[in-house]
Amino acid sequence: MAQFTLNSTVNDVENYFGNAGRLLFPVDRPFNPNETLAQISNSAHYIWYSNIKANKTVEVLNYLAAEQKKHQIFYPIYSEDEIAAHPSRANTGLYFFRGKEGAPFAINNAGGGFAYVAAMQDSFPHALEISKYGYNAFALIYRPTNPYEDLAQAICFIEDHATELGVNPRHYSLWGGSAGARMAAELGNKEVLYQLTGRSDIPQADEVIMQYTGFSRVSSADAPTYVSVGDNDWIANWRTMKQRLFYLEQLGIPTEFHVYSGLNHGFGLGEGTVAEGWINDAINFWEVNISD
């Protein structure tokens, strides 16, 4: 029986999950605890996002509710001492969408303009779909003021706890939309990865998957990159990403580019649009670029 419906409130959800529920909704934006899941599924709450699907929110939460009965679903990425030194680190962590034991993993980074984390629209749905393919998927809740530090910490955490988590530490992908796409691209760069983690034992991501952003830096240390964007994006011009991938190709780095007619910024999975199914292509691209 489903635990949540469109009429469930934010308060219902947070109370059900206890400590694991505190970061399901943005902590940097005010959400009325008495609002229903249907009422919060709009661009007034998740600013800069389009194609918001309330039913997907319900699906994600019912999945996590079922998982919580069997497994731990939320993992802090900082120790108690690290949080005590910087209390804002308490607003970080990983939600785990399990795939097959020992399979590669993905880290999903939601956008939000480095002002808030739109996980319910831009990383939870992606992580759920990736897990359906048998891959392990994490959705990172990061601090908008320290996004790159938190993603670096998340990568280190998963690598160091790979056996406990049941994931393959040698193969992973980094996903992101908007601001989250910039995070994925930065940490997907081998030189930046080593700089921010301070470690040379962590492998570079097999692939970076980016949606609707204007990131333009190009380096020979970048990972293979998949991009999906809309040509009606009022925030990030799709041509910027097309040009970036052209230069990556010139460096011999595999890429795949998709621009979808009429789509705005923040279309997420693109369900019910011309982009529906793009995530299947992205996973296929990842599988091609997983190296031994």
Side-chain angles (χ1 to χ4, degrees), residues 45-235:
H45 288 78
Y46 291 97
I47 56 174
W48 305 310
Y49 280 87
S50 60
N51 197 48
I52 297 172
K53 302 292 187 181
N55 286 330
K56 180 58 68 173
T57 296
V58 172
E59 180 186 356
V60 165
L61 291 172
N62 281 324
Y63 164 85
L64 290 174
E67 282 292 294
Q68 186 170 252
K69 295 176 181 178
K70 301 176 291 182
H71 307 290
Q72 183 174 344
I73 63 169
F74 178 77
Y75 292 83
I77 56 176
Y78 291 104
S79 68
E80 291 182 1
D81 288 343
E82 289 170 326
I83 292 173
H86 298 280
S88 66
R89 288 173 173 167
N91 291 332
T92 68
L94 291 163
Y95 285 95
F96 190 9
F97 295 71
R98 280 176 170 78
K100 294 179 180 178
E101 181 81 15
F105 67 91
I107 302 179
N108 295 264
N109 306 282
F114 295 124
Y116 78 109
V117 180
M120 197 61 76
Q121 305 303 329
D122 209 24
S123 61
F124 291 160
H126 300 62
L128 179 57
E129 293 306 308
I130 293 167
S131 72
K132 293 176 182 178
Y133 272 79
Y135 295 107
N136 295 291
F138 298 88
L140 173 63
I141 308 299
Y142 59 89
R143 294 168 293 169
T145 54
N146 300 86
Y148 303 106
E149 174 186 331
D150 292 342
L151 178 52
Q153 178 70 15
I155 294 171
C156 291
F157 177 87
I158 297 170
E159 292 285 338
D160 291 342
H161 296 83
T163 300
E164 169 195 343
L165 296 167
V167 305
N168 183 341
R170 308 312 299 171
H171 293 294
Y172 68 98
S173 55
L174 297 175
W175 299 59
S178 197
R182 302 179 72 86
M183 294 165 59
E186 287 285 10
L187 271 296
N189 179 283
K190 185 185 300 184
E191 295 173 352
V192 176
L193 174 69
Y194 293 164
Q195 176 187 354
L196 293 184
T197 62
R199 294 171 54 171
S200 59
D201 62 311
I202 296 177
Q204 182 180 22
D206 297 306
E207 177 194 21
V208 167
I209 300 87
M210 306 176 69
Q211 288 187 276
Y212 33 79
T213 194
F215 192 76
S216 59
R217 183 192 53 73
V218 173
S219 164
S220 60
D222 286 331
T225 302
Y226 178 101
V227 168
S228 65
V229 292
D231 69 0
N232 196 35
D233 192 326
W234 68 95
I235 295 175

